[in-house]
């Protein structure tokens, strides 16, 4: 009895101490001055960062760390939240999570680690800064976990390591400050004048296999190198009309390189989430076909995890600090598997969205509590199976293989006794594909050190390394499958835990034909259908199909590669090979130092036309390029013939109010390659005298007015000048057919150069050039109209085009190039186009051009022109239909832009 009383007093004392401690954790209202979720109120990042620090100082459940700098130089925070005692073994839990994910151990060793480990759950918010629920639910979730002492919260803290990550501090500061700038709450808006990520705005969620942006690299390091969580929960907005929130499980298709446990694990977590809401009588959760989200695409914060055996969760929820409404959508009122518990039309507050989000977080965390061992076990099993698949002959079940079986059956049907579809096909048809050695998955890929642009190959490898892929380096020359490779070449084995990501970066994506019904319109993929990074970057990678052995050493996980530093021999002058993208970087450094640069206008025995010549005065700068950029200038004993002196062009890059993402990517590219540029907005174009300021103006993607004189279909609302800070006034306005087009035409005719990409190529029609849209057909009324989507449809995919290597715009390119094609323009030149100075400089050939993704109706592309040059007065106009600068990933076509930036 005495022992029981002592125990009771001890427990009461613990509860008293816990409650007293909890009261020391500052509430959001005590810090911000309002409750999180209060209508018309947003916290900015500076305020949030201060709150994170306060909570970490007050609570022994929270440790605040920085994971790196943002593009604007802010610290990007991660809050590690768990029971106080778990911090004593935090490094052990991190190493267990990391080790199980890499799966470099036996099952018995794994089970021992599982018994010692704890599941790790990542929850983020704020990636898209206009989706303001995300960062604010993060604040509220931190407070709940740090202050609550209910049984559920204490159990979560006991059993789970939680990583709360702010995905875009810069964007929160920009968006919140803008929204709160007006005193009258009802006048507040989110129509910010600039992108909410320094360069790429909304596309910051399109960077997670490339990791160009600092924020993406910071988060990927934690996700795939340091912590490797079992669950990554990525909060977004907004839910489909007539619902509150869209979440897992997601619609088909899913990518064929995944382990099946990824898909079924998504089902399990999704069940926990929707059940929690239904238990709390919170309607409006939609899933499966109820939303557009699938698990096909790689590159997003929640989709790239799938390729690393991590459960990636996305929710898209409604809500705004400005009160809104759930609209009436009649078909959403019918309960079905996609919408089991419909929500009725009603007013909706910001607070409700915060409450839903916190509840969903708790659902995910409770799932980790109940299934912790399985989460740890499953990530190990998926990784181990990946390693084993990479060590033996394996065939991925692509749609094209099923089609090959069907075609073989149809071809032979009637020639012998065949069973029909109802009873299945003879197994010989299966064996004809899935025993065909030519169709096996590779055991690895070799990137030879002697390829034409090895520095770009290193950038490709670094993109893999940032995603947790292990790379091996050859310590001496070697031979594989009959080919000799030099020392310093690199090997990427598929026998590693993240094999799905390796295959996805090297191999073509085979998107299934996906139509609403036979003969009907296509179902649009969520983002791209094909993206193979090795193709986009123009990397030369040899597929290795047999067992791999050789003089290879593993590069430590997460250690980025740097080019080998080499000194430059003395010479009378030097040549930089234009085949290497980093040659442009060296050339711009030479210009910055005041060194003269010339260009070869014809081929030489050792260098292609367009290569750069520098006399001995440039040796110091070239030595730096050899040390830092991997660009090794070749000495020559005499000045080459056929040289053209180069100058830096004065570059204008078109942008508009609110910011263009395609233009933003090019801003980043130009800075990476040391090109000077100025942004040019519609008002400045309308003022004229453009030749006094620029030699070349770049139009990348949207912003050109429609041919009937209306606004670009990408145009967005703009405020009145007196409503915004004067520093943004120069950004206001739009290009117009009446005022802007004449000024641009005058700029070219007076000797300027305009380069257009994607939708911006509509300028060709405004200029009345002898070209037309190749993707049209005549209707019954004799009028030309775009091809219908049931005949022709190509979402984001990688295609192959032919290139005129003799044209200066294409210097450094090969005879063919892989391009990212995203419902891109294709042209047909008029028969007399050459008489008017218009010439095709890139085109599709006779064969189907698809290399990766999905292309329906490829026959319509036959011989279509993808790029052309036009003489206009004393100047030049260039049109590139494909996305030659796509998200700063398509290094293989960067030269098509860079060649225009000198004069």
């Amino acid at each position: 009895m005495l022992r029981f009383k002592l125990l009771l007093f001890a427990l009461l004392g613990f509860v008293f101490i816990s409650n007293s401690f909890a009261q020391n954790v500052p509430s959001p209202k005590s810090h911000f001055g309002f409750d999180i979720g209060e209508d018309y109120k947003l916290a900015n990042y500076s305020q949030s960062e201060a709150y994170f620090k306060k909570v970490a100082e007050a609570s022994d459940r929270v440790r605040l760390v920085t994971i790196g700098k943002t593009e604007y130089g802010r610290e990007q925070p991660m809050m590690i939240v768990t029971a106080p005692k778990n911090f004593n073994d935090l490094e052990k839990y991190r190493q267990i999570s990391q080790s199980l994910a890499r799966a470099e151990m036996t099952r018995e060793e794994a089970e021992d680690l599982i018994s010692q480990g704890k599941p790790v759950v990542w929850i983020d918010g704020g990636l898209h800064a206009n989706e303001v629920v995300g960062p604010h639910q993060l604040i509220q979730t931190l407070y709940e976990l740090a202050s609550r002492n209910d049984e559920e919260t204490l159990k979560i803290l006991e059993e789970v390591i939680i990583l709360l990550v702010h995905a875009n501090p810069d964007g929160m500061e920009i968006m919140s400050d803008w929204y709160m700038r007006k005193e009258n709450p009802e006048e507040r808006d989110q129509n910010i004048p600039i992108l909410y990520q320094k360069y790429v705005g909304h596309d910051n969620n399109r960077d997670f296999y490339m990791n160009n942006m600092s924020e993406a690299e910071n988060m990927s390091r934690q996700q795939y190198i340091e912590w490797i969580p079992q669950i990554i929960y990525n909060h977004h907005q907004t839910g489909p009309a007539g619902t509150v929130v869209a979440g897992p499980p997601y619609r088909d298709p899913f990518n064929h390189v995944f382990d099946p446990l990824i898909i079924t694990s998504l089902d399990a977590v999704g069940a926990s989430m929707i059940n929690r809401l239904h238990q709390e009588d919170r309607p409006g959760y939609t899933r499966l076909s109820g939303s557009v989200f699938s698990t096909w695409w790689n590159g997003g914060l929640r989709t790239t995890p799938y390729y690393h055996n991590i459960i990636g969760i996305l929710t898209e929820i409604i809500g705004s600090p400005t009160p809104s409404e759930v609209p009436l959508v009649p078909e959403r009122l019918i309960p079905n598997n996609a919408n089991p518990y419909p929500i009725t039309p009603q007013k909706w507050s910001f607070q409700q969205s915060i409450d839903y989000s916190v509840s969903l977080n708790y659902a995910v965390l409770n799932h980790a509590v109940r299934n912790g061992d399985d989460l740890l076990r499953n990530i190990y099993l998926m990784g181990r199976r990946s390693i084993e698949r990479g060590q033996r002959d394996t065939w991925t079940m692509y749609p094209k293989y099923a089609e090959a079986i069907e075609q073989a059956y149809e071809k032979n049907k009637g020639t012998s006794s065949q069973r029909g579809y109802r009873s299945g096909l003879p197994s010989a048809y299966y064996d004809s594909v899935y025993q065909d050695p030519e169709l096996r998955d590779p055991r690895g890929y070799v990137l030879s050190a002697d390829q034409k642009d090895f520095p770009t190959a290193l950038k490709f490898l670094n993109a893999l390394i940032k995603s947790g892929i292990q790379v091996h380096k050859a310590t001496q020359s070697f031979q594989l499958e009959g080919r000799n490779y030099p020392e310093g070449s690199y090997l990427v084995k598929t026998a590693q835990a993240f094999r799905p990501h390796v295959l996805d970066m090297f191999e073509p994506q085979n998107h299934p034909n996906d139509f609403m019904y036979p003969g009907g319109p296509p179902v649009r993929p969520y983002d791209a259908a094909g993206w193979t990074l090795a193709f986009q970057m123009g990397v030369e990678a040899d597929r290795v199909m047999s067992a791999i052995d050789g003089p290879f050493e593993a590069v430590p996980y997460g250690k980025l590669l740097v080019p080998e530093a080499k000194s430059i021999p003395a010479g009378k002058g030097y040549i930089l090979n234009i085949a290497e993208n980093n040659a442009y970087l060296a050339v711009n450094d030479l210009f910055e130092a005041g060194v003269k640069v010339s260009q070869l206008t014809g081929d030489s025995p050792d260098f292609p036309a367009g290569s750069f010549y520098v006399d001995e005065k440039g040796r110091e700068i070239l030595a730096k390029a050899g040390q830092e950029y991997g660009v090794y200038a070749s000495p020559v004993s005499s000045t080459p013939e056929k040289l053209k002196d180069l100058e830096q062009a004065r570059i204008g890059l078109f942008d508009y109010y609110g910011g263009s993402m395609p233009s933003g990517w090019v801003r980043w590219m130009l800075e990476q390659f040391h090109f000077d540029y100025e942004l040019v907005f519609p008002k400045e174009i309308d003022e004229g005298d453009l030749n006094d300021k620029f030699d070349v103006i770049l139009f990348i993607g949207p912003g050109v007015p429609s041919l009937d004189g209306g606004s670009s279909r990408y145009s967005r609302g703009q405020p009145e000048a007196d409503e915004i800070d004067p520093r943004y006034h120069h950004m206001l306005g739009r290009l117009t057919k009446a005022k802007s087009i004449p000024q641009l035409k005058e700029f070219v005719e007076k000797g300027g150069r305009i380069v257009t990409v994607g939708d911006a190529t509509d300028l060709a029609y405004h200029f009345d050039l002898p070209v037309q849209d190749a993707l049209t057909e005549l209707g019954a009324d004799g009028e030309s109209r775009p091809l219908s989507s049931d005949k022709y449809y190509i979402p984001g995919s990688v295609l192959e085009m032919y290139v005129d290597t003799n044209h200066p715009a294409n210097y450094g390119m090969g005879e063919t190039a892989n391009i990212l094609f995203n419902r891109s323009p294709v042209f047909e030149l008029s028969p007399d186009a050459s008489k008017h100075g218009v010439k095709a400089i890139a085109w599709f050939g006779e064969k189907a051009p698809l290399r990766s993704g999905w292309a329906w109706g490829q026959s319509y592309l036959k011989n279509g022109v993808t790029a052309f040059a036009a003489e206009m007065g004393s100047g030049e106009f260039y049109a590139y239909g494909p996305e030659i600068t796509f998200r700063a990933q398509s290094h293989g076509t960067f030269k098509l832009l860079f060649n225009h930036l000198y004069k």
Side-chain angles (χ1 to χ4, degrees):
M1 187 67 178
L2 179 61
R3 180 178 296 178
F4 173 78
K5 288 182 178 180
L6 290 173
L7 179 60
L8 179 61
F9 282 129
L11 288 172
L12 289 172
F14 172 76
V15 171
F16 174 78
I17 292 170
S18 296
N19 285 330
S20 298
F21 180 79
Q23 291 170 3
N24 292 328
V25 176
S27 69
K29 187 168 186 176
S30 71
H31 176 78
F32 296 103
F34 55 85
D35 289 318
I36 297 300
E38 188 173 328
D39 287 342
Y40 298 111
K41 297 290 178 66
L42 290 181
N44 68 16
Y45 178 70
S46 295
Q47 296 164 340
S48 302
E49 182 182 41
Y51 182 69
F52 297 156
K53 290 178 179 178
K54 276 187 182 180
V55 173
E57 289 169 1
S59 173
D60 59 358
R61 303 175 183 179
V62 180
R63 181 175 296 175
L64 175 63
V65 299
T66 180
I67 60 175
K69 298 278 191 181
T70 68
E71 287 292 348
Y72 278 120
R74 291 182 174 86
E75 299 286 350
Q76 187 168 6
M78 179 169 76
M79 285 76 72
I80 305 172
V81 185
T82 192
K85 69 173 186 177
N86 288 341
F87 282 106
N88 296 328
D89 294 316
L90 193 65
E91 181 59 20
K92 181 185 82 170
Y93 295 134
R94 187 183 69 84
Q95 290 184 3
I96 288 173
S97 183
Q98 190 184 97
S99 298
L100 288 171
R102 290 178 181 153
E104 297 166 343
M105 65 191 76
T106 65
R107 177 68 181 267
E108 291 73 22
E109 292 168 330
E111 290 295 337
D112 181 55
L113 289 181
I114 291 165
S115 68
Q116 301 177 54
K118 293 186 183 296
V120 180
V121 176
W122 165 296
I123 300 173
D124 64 58
L127 184 67
H128 291 156
N130 62 333
E131 300 170 4
V132 294
V133 173
H136 287 78
Q137 63 79 26
L138 202 65
I139 296 169
Q140 188 65 33
T141 299
L142 175 65
Y143 174 66
E144 302 286 343
L145 292 171
S147 63
R148 282 170 52 173
N149 289 292
D150 56 279
E151 182 180 352
E152 178 185 38
T153 299
L154 294 178
K155 186 69 171 175
I156 288 170
L157 294 168
E158 176 81 15
E159 298 296 336
V160 183
I161 309 298
I162 308 160
L163 308 178
L164 300 180
V165 181
H166 199 299
N168 184 9
D170 297 341
M172 186 181 188
E173 192 83 353
I174 293 166
M175 184 60 66
S176 295
D177 284 351
W178 183 265
Y179 181 82
M180 297 295 292
R181 80 192 191 284
K182 291 187 177 181
E183 290 189 14
N184 183 352
E186 294 184 0
E187 293 181 355
R188 291 173 181 166
D189 66 79
Q190 296 177 260
N191 193 15
I192 57 174
I194 59 175
L195 295 168
Y196 52 66
Q197 194 278 349
K198 183 177 181 180
Y199 295 101
V200 302
H202 200 80
D203 265 3
N204 62 357
N205 199 28
R206 304 295 185 270
D207 190 38
F208 284 93
Y209 61 68
M210 194 74 198
N211 292 302
N212 280 323
M213 297 296 110
S214 298
E215 298 89 347
E217 183 175 357
N218 297 339
M219 289 186 277
S220 289
R221 183 164 191 89
Q222 300 305 315
Q223 292 173 338
Y224 309 127
I225 298 168
E226 299 293 343
W227 275 98
I228 317 184
Q230 290 77 53
I231 299 176
I232 290 175
Y233 183 5
N234 180 216
H235 283 262
H236 279 272
Q237 285 180 262
T238 185
T243 72
V244 174
V245 59
Y250 308 106
R251 69 173 178 88
D252 282 335
F254 64 81
N255 203 292
H256 311 106
V257 297
F258 295 162
D259 190 288
L261 266 172
I262 281 294
I263 299 303
T264 53
S265 295
L266 277 170
D267 292 345
V269 180
S272 296
M273 296 168 75
I274 195 169
N275 284 345
R276 171 98 180 197
L277 292 186
H278 291 178
Q279 289 166 1
E280 297 172 347
D281 199 25
R282 299 183 193 271
Y285 186 109
T286 189
R287 56 188 185 164
L288 299 168
S289 62
S291 71
V292 300
F293 307 106
S294 70
T295 53
W296 172 261
W297 170 66
N298 193 345
L301 180 49
R302 69 94 189 180
T303 58
T304 305
Y306 303 144
Y307 300 82
H308 296 74
N309 306 319
I310 296 170
I311 303 166
I313 301 296
L314 165 81
T315 52
E316 298 266 350
I317 195 166
I318 64 173
S320 166
T322 302
S324 56
E325 292 188 5
V326 178
L328 173 61
V329 181
E331 61 265 31
R332 294 283 188 183
L333 297 177
I334 306 169
N336 56 33
N337 204 29
N339 301 281
Y341 186 6
I343 189 165
T344 57
Q346 58 188 269
K347 294 188 181 300
W348 193 262
S349 72
F350 194 31
Q351 183 66 62
Q352 287 173 283
S353 297
I354 299 297
D355 293 344
Y356 265 66
S357 297
V358 173
S359 183
L360 290 167
N361 287 338
Y362 265 73
V364 172
L365 294 171
N366 271 314
H367 180 87
V369 170
R370 294 190 299 272
N371 301 279
D373 284 357
D374 270 345
L375 289 172
L376 294 170
R377 182 174 295 109
N378 288 350
I379 200 169
Y380 165 77
L381 290 173
M382 287 186 278
R384 192 67 225 163
R385 289 199 290 241
S386 287
I387 292 172
E388 291 167 356
R389 287 175 183 132
Q391 292 171 334
R392 65 173 189 264
D393 287 347
T394 307
W395 289 259
T396 295
M397 291 185 169
Y398 294 119
K400 60 186 177 183
Y401 294 164
E403 291 170 10
I405 290 173
E406 291 176 356
Q407 290 168 4
Y409 171 79
E410 291 297 329
K411 182 178 179 180
N412 293 329
K413 191 162 59 174
T415 60
S416 60
S417 177
Q418 302 277 0
R419 293 196 303 273
Y421 279 109
R422 290 182 181 274
S423 56
L425 306 186
S427 60
Y429 287 104
Y430 173 88
D431 295 341
S432 69
V433 170
Y434 286 100
Q435 297 298 320
D436 184 345
E438 296 298 317
L439 303 180
R440 290 172 296 165
D441 295 332
R443 303 281 184 95
Y445 306 87
V446 178
L447 285 74
S448 180
D450 60 5
Q451 62 183 276
K452 65 180 181 181
D453 190 0
F454 192 54
T456 294
L458 293 182
K459 293 177 184 180
F460 169 75
L461 289 167
N462 279 338
L464 299 185
I465 289 169
K466 290 176 185 179
S467 285
I469 300 303
Q470 184 161 71
V471 170
H472 286 76
K473 183 177 182 179
T475 56
Q476 62 189 61
S477 60
F478 65 99
Q479 186 181 79
L480 269 179
E481 297 186 342
R483 178 172 171 183
N484 296 316
Y485 296 96
E487 178 184 350
S489 298
Y490 287 89
L491 172 72
V492 182
K493 297 181 180 181
T494 60
Q496 55 181 299
F498 300 159
R499 176 177 180 268
H501 193 72
V502 174
L503 291 177
D504 201 61
M505 294 295 98
F506 282 97
E507 295 291 307
Q509 283 76 53
N510 180 209
H511 193 285
N513 290 324
D514 190 9
F515 295 91
M516 290 186 181
Y517 50 85
V523 178
R524 180 179 176 180
Y526 185 71
D527 205 83
W531 49 83
T532 309
L533 188 59
F535 294 176
Q536 286 196 66
M537 294 187 71
V539 170
E540 299 171 20
D542 293 332
R543 302 165 88 239
V544 180
M545 307 304 293
S546 56
I548 297 172
D549 189 25
F552 310 125
E553 63 178 10
V555 176
Y557 285 106
K559 182 179 179 181
L560 298 181
L561 307 177
V562 295
E564 182 182 353
K566 290 184 180 180
S567 58
I568 298 176
K572 294 285 186 180
Y574 301 89
I575 293 180
L576 290 165
N577 193 330
I578 195 173
E580 299 179 19
N581 282 351
N582 278 2
Y584 296 91
L585 185 53
V587 165
N588 290 334
D589 286 356
L590 288 162
F591 278 129
E592 181 68 22
V595 176
K596 179 182 176 182
V597 180
S598 302
Q599 191 169 40
L600 278 66
T601 57
D603 287 324
S604 73
D606 300 311
F607 299 98
S611 293
F612 305 102
Y613 171 75
V614 185
D615 66 22
E616 57 189 348
K617 294 178 183 177
R619 183 176 180 184
E620 183 178 342
I621 303 298
L622 293 174
K624 175 188 174 184
Q627 295 289 316
E628 298 180 10
Y629 308 152
V631 174
Y632 312 123
S634 299
V636 292
S637 57
S638 61
T639 303
E641 299 179 359
K642 297 183 180 179
L643 285 181
K644 170 190 173 184
D645 291 343
L646 286 186
E647 296 180 41
Q648 286 179 301
R650 297 169 300 164
I651 303 167
L653 175 60
F654 176 70
D655 207 341
Y656 47 73
Y657 185 90
S660 161
M661 291 181 287
S663 179
W665 281 114
V666 172
R667 271 195 289 132
W668 184 82
M669 284 170 51
L670 294 177
E671 291 175 18
Q672 297 303 303
F673 283 88
H674 297 182
F675 285 99
D676 290 330
Y677 68 94
E678 291 182 22
L679 293 180
V680 56
F681 292 87
K683 278 187 177 181
E684 187 173 3
I685 288 173
D686 290 349
E687 290 168 359
D689 297 325
L690 295 171
N691 300 82
D692 295 340
K693 306 169 188 176
F694 306 109
D695 299 305
V696 57
I697 302 178
L698 310 177
F699 290 87
I700 313 296
V704 172
S706 62
L707 299 182
D708 62 8
S711 298
S712 161
R713 65 178 181 270
Y714 291 94
S715 63
R716 49 180 288 187
Q718 296 187 10
E720 297 297 327
D722 60 4
E723 296 178 0
I724 62 174
D725 193 297
R727 61 182 166 150
Y728 301 124
H729 286 182
H730 70 286
M731 299 178 179
L732 292 172
R734 297 182 178 88
L735 295 182
T736 63
K737 185 173 183 177
K739 196 167 184 179
S740 311
I741 298 302
Q743 297 293 354
L744 292 173
K745 188 174 182 181
E746 179 180 321
F747 168 73
V748 179
E749 290 176 342
K750 286 186 175 181
R753 181 184 300 155
I754 286 181
V755 179
T756 61
V757 177
D759 289 336
T761 59
D762 277 355
L763 278 176
Y765 305 121
H766 283 293
F767 291 162
D768 295 320
L769 295 175
V771 299
Q772 59 190 32
D773 186 349
L775 302 176
T776 60
E777 62 183 349
L778 291 178
D781 57 2
E783 294 292 323
S784 178
R785 60 193 53 162
L787 291 166
S788 60
S789 61
D790 60 330
K791 294 181 178 179
Y792 168 82
Y793 183 72
I794 305 180
S797 297
V798 182
L799 309 185
E800 183 181 65
M801 71 179 184
Y802 292 88
V803 176
D804 178 358
T805 58
N806 294 318
H807 196 285
N810 297 331
Y811 279 161
M813 297 293 294
E815 292 183 353
T816 62
N818 294 318
I819 51 169
L820 201 292
F821 190 93
N822 186 18
R823 291 172 289 170
S824 302
V826 180
F827 310 99
E828 180 181 339
L829 305 191
S830 300
D832 61 348
S834 60
K835 296 179 182 178
H836 297 277
V838 177
K839 180 184 180 183
I841 57 175
W843 57 88
F844 292 123
E846 296 280 334
K847 66 178 183 179
L850 179 66
R851 292 218 62 199
S852 178
W854 184 24
W856 183 256
Q858 293 185 70
S859 60
Y860 290 103
L861 299 178
K862 185 177 178 180
N863 299 322
V865 173
T866 54
F868 65 86
E871 298 172 6
M872 292 177 57
S874 301
E876 302 167 310
F877 174 84
Y878 290 88
Y880 294 92
E883 306 286 340
I884 61 171
T885 59
F886 182 74
R887 295 174 182 166
Q889 297 170 11
S890 54
H891 289 245
T893 50
F894 280 5
K895 297 180 185 72
L896 298 179
L897 179 73
F898 293 166
N899 284 334
H900 295 292
L901 305 183
Y902 303 110
K903 59 176 183 173

